[in-house]
Amino acid sequence: GGEQHQNAKILMSAGSATIIEQKDFTRDRLFREINHFFKNLTSFQKKAQAFSKTLSTDASEKMANVILERER
C-alpha cells in the first residue's frame, strides 16, 4: 500500500489501530472490529498515549532548520 497504509501499519504495530484490508472488508467485519475497539477502549487509549510520547513534537522546526541551512 501507499502512504496511508504505511501510517496505519505503524499505528497497528503500536497496538492502537486495526487494519481491515479491502478484500476482507464486510459490514460484519467492521461491526466486529468496532465492538472489539469499544470493549477494549481503555487498552487502546493507553497504547495510543504511549505511542504519542514517541513522536517528535518539533518536526516543523526541524524541517524549517533544514530548509534554512540549504539556503545558506
Side-chain angles (χ1 to χ4, degrees):
E3 182 179 336
Q4 189 175 24
H5 190 265
Q6 294 301 318
N7 291 337
K9 284 173 61 175
I10 292 168
L11 292 173
M12 188 177 79
S13 69
S16 58
T18 299
I19 296 173
I20 304 173
E21 299 293 340
Q22 188 168 353
K23 65 180 178 58
D24 300 323
F25 189 86
T26 64
R27 183 174 60 186
D28 290 338
R29 174 72 187 274
L30 179 61
F31 184 74
R32 283 195 314 271
E33 293 297 338
I34 291 171
N35 278 333
H36 175 74
F37 176 80
F38 281 111
K39 285 179 184 176
N40 298 284
L41 185 58
T42 302
S43 175
F44 275 99
Q45 287 174 326
K46 287 179 182 177
K47 291 174 183 177
Q49 266 187 332
F51 178 71
S52 72
K53 292 177 183 176
T54 68
L55 301 175
S56 175
T57 58
D58 62 344
S60 59
E61 183 179 338
K62 288 178 180 178
M63 287 179 65
N65 286 335
V66 168
I67 292 168
L68 292 173
E69 286 297 317
R70 283 191 166 177
E71 293 294 317
R72 293 181 183 163

